[in-house]
């Protein structure tokens, strides 16, 4: 009987309309339908039309489903049909960028759970409803704390929040998405967060700096890598690298895992100093301390390369001081061991790549201390390149 009723309605409406009035026809049919099944049929036809003129129809439909006579159908045997209508309405409104209807979608976020809530969150992202970006960021921040006993539901909502914040390109969402990337979720969700992070902000440097302050050592390391792989400005990357270097030098732990993470943090920061050509003299304080405290030759080599790249007068003075230690040992009759020879050679290279005229006298005096011919030749070659 229900099918006969709706078919009859379609027939009488269709004969009075032109082909271009299909949207209006299905809109009327939806409004005049009295059962959820009839409304599903009409809405499915409207979805297929994908006509922006139906924005108000979908808005009214969603309002009725949430706040009108149909709201009672959200529970009971017909709840799955009601949910299907809500999801179709939200998805169409998202496609139409119907931001004026965003308050209805956020009503779903607040009052429901599961797939319908996830769809609402993603729809808010698709329509770029940035008025709700802070709310979604807070939702994700809470989910990251892993306090929800329903882990499947929590992960579903987290995935949708990551997606939405990425679509909104919301600054306030960057930190929660980062902690989702390093959080308790499955690989699928963490990978989604990683992808969103790479595209979320043109320059995430300021947000990364905040994360570096609060994160644990492993997370600091990941944050630095996110920055270096981003499209951040050279100035932004410089600030982050110097801050990471500072934290890597000033932080200490007796835990072996923490020690390893801090070492890697310093290594990546030092490598970035060299590769990015960082010349900010503020980095020298941390480079000098790192050199004093480093117990691995590989780290000292990276430090020397970073100081050489700095190229400032202060950098030349620092490398000259480091060479003086070896000069004094030579004068006292102590020949350098293999690691020290490697380090002396690296210091010569650091003076060479500095491009600073002050490096010339430092290189010129190396020969007088009685080093090997190999070291003397390296100094002479570096001096020639600076001329």
């Amino acid at each position: 009987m229900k099918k006969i009723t709706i078919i009859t309605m379609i027939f009488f409406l269709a004969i009075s309309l032109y082909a271009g009035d299909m949207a209006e026809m299905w809109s009327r049919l939806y409004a005049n339908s009295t059962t959820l099944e009839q409304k599903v049929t009409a809405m499915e036809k409207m979805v297929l039309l994908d006509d922006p003129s139906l924005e108000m129809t979908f808005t009214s439909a969603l309002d009725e489903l949430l706040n009108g006579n149909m709201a009672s159908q959200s529970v009971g045997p017909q709840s799955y049909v009601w949910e299907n209508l809500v999801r179709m309405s939200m998805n169409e409104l998202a496609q139409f960028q119907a931001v004026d209807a965003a308050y209805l979608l956020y009503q779903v976020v607040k009052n429901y759970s599961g797939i319908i809530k996830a769809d609402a969150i993603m729809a808010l992202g698709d329509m770029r409803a940035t008025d709700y970006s802070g709310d979604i960021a807070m939702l994700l921040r809470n989910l990251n704390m892993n306090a929800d006993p329903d882990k499947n539901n929590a992960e579903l909502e987290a995935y949708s929040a990551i997606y939405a914040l990425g679509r909104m390109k919301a600054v306030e969402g960057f930190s929660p998405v980062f902690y989702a990337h390093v959080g308790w979720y499955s690989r699928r969700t963490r990978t989604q967060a990683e992808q969103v992070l790479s595209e979320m902000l043109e320059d995430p440097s300021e947000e990364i700096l905040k994360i570096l302050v609060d994160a644990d050592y492993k997370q600091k390391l990941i944050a630095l890598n996110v920055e270096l792989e981003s499209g951040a400005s050279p100035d932004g990357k410089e600030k982050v690298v110097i801050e990471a270097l500072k934290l890597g030098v000033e932080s200490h732990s007796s835990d072996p895992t923490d020690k390893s993470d801090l070492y890697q943090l310093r290594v990546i920061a030092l490598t970035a100093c060299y590769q990015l050509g960082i010349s900010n003299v503020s980095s020298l304080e941390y480079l000098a301390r790192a050199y004093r405290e480093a117990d691995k030759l590989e780290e000292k080599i990276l430090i020397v390369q970073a100081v050489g790249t700095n190229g400032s007068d202060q950098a030349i003075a620092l490398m000259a001081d480091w060479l003086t230690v070896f000069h004094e040992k030579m004068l006292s009759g102590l020949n350098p061991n293999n690691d020290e020879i490697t380090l002396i050679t690296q210091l010569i290279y650091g003076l060479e790549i500095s491009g600073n005229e002050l490096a010339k006298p430092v290189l010129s005096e190396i020969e007088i201390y009685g080093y090997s011919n190999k070291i003397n030749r390296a100094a002479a070659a570096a001096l020639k390149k600076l001329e």
Side-chain angles (χ1 to χ4, degrees), residues 307-347:
V307 174
T309 301
N310 184 281
S312 64
D313 293 354
Q314 296 94 318
I316 302 301
L318 195 55
M319 287 186 286
D321 287 344
W322 292 340
L323 276 170
T324 297
V325 174
F326 296 114
H327 296 341
E328 291 175 349
K329 289 180 71 173
M330 287 294 293
L331 290 174
S332 66
L334 296 174
N335 292 324
N337 59 36
N338 289 337
D339 285 353
E340 290 172 334
I341 289 171
T342 299
L343 197 52
I344 292 166
T345 305
Q346 285 298 319
L347 283 164

Side-chain angles (χ1 to χ4, degrees), residues 15-283:
I15 60 176
S16 64
L17 296 172
Y18 295 100
D21 294 322
M22 293 297 292
E24 182 180 353
M25 180 190 78
W26 287 112
S27 179
R28 289 180 184 177
L29 281 170
Y30 183 89
N32 293 327
S33 298
T34 56
T35 68
L36 286 177
E37 289 82 359
Q38 291 172 354
K39 288 186 178 296
V40 166
T41 300
M43 186 171 286
E44 286 175 343
K45 297 298 182 182
M46 289 190 290
V47 168
L48 289 174
L49 291 175
D50 197 27
D51 188 338
S53 69
L54 289 168
E55 178 182 325
M56 286 307 301
T57 297
F58 283 109
T59 301
S60 297
L62 184 57
D63 191 17
E64 180 193 22
L65 288 162
L66 298 177
N67 305 306
N69 294 332
M70 292 291 175
S72 61
Q73 302 294 329
S74 63
V75 294
Q78 296 251 294
S79 61
Y80 72 97
V81 184
W82 175 90
E83 183 172 312
N84 189 27
L85 284 167
V86 172
R87 292 175 66 193
M88 283 193 289
S89 299
M90 294 191 302
N91 291 338
E92 284 302 292
L93 289 170
Q95 294 304 311
F96 298 151
Q97 299 288 292
V99 180
D100 288 343
Y103 73 98
L104 291 170
L105 276 67
Y106 189 64
Q107 183 179 336
V108 175
V109 174
K110 289 193 300 181
N111 297 332
Y112 299 94
S113 61
I115 188 67
I116 190 173
K117 180 175 181 177
D119 271 7
I121 294 169
M122 296 179 81
L124 286 169
D126 283 331
M127 66 171 54
R128 313 297 197 277
T130 54
D131 285 351
Y132 296 96
S133 60
D135 298 293
I136 296 175
M138 180 61 71
L139 182 151
L140 180 58
R141 188 175 290 113
N142 291 337
L143 291 169
N144 289 343
M145 297 172 68
N146 196 16
D148 193 325
D150 188 341
K151 301 306 177 190
N152 291 334
N153 214 44
E155 180 147 11
L156 177 65
E157 292 176 11
Y159 189 93
S160 65
I162 292 164
Y163 172 87
L165 291 168
R167 298 285 285 175
M168 293 176 177
K169 297 190 180 300
V171 173
E172 59 268 43
F174 189 88
S175 177
V177 171
F178 172 82
Y179 285 108
H181 167 46
V182 299
W184 61 270
Y185 307 103
S186 68
R187 178 178 296 181
R188 175 176 178 268
T189 300
R190 287 185 282 108
T191 300
Q192 165 76 353
E194 181 180 21
Q195 179 62 35
V196 166
L197 282 176
S198 68
E199 303 170 351
M200 199 169 185
L201 303 178
E202 287 186 11
D203 190 338
S205 304
E206 292 303 317
E207 297 306 306
I208 292 289
L209 284 169
K210 295 174 187 175
I211 290 170
L212 283 175
V213 172
D214 298 326
D216 63 30
Y217 298 137
K218 175 65 72 177
Q219 292 165 351
K220 291 181 198 297
L221 180 59
I222 295 171
L224 176 58
N225 280 318
V226 168
E227 171 73 10
L228 293 174
E229 293 170 7
S230 76
S233 65
D235 287 346
K237 288 188 177 182
E238 180 179 286
K239 288 180 183 177
V240 169
V241 167
I242 293 175
E243 180 64 21
L245 178 62
K246 174 186 175 183
L247 292 168
V249 170
E250 294 183 346
S251 303
H252 296 282
S253 174
S254 58
D255 181 82
T257 301
D258 288 345
K259 283 184 174 182
S260 176
D261 290 336
L262 284 170
Y263 174 72
Q264 289 300 321
L265 184 66
R266 293 194 301 274
V267 164
I268 293 174
L270 290 167
T271 303
C273 284
Y274 174 66
Q275 292 178 341
L276 298 175
I278 292 177
S279 58
N280 192 320
V281 294
S282 67
S283 66

Side-chain angles (χ1 to χ4, degrees), residues 3-18:
K3 290 184 178 178
I4 294 174
T5 303
I6 195 167
I7 290 171
T8 304
M9 292 168 61
I10 293 170
F11 174 77
F12 284 112
L13 278 170
I15 60 176
S16 64
L17 296 172
Y18 295 100

Side-chain angles (χ1 to χ4, degrees), residues 355-367:
N356 192 317
E357 291 287 319
L358 292 180
K360 290 181 179 180
V362 180
L363 289 166
S364 297
E365 69 179 8
I366 286 177
E367 189 173 1

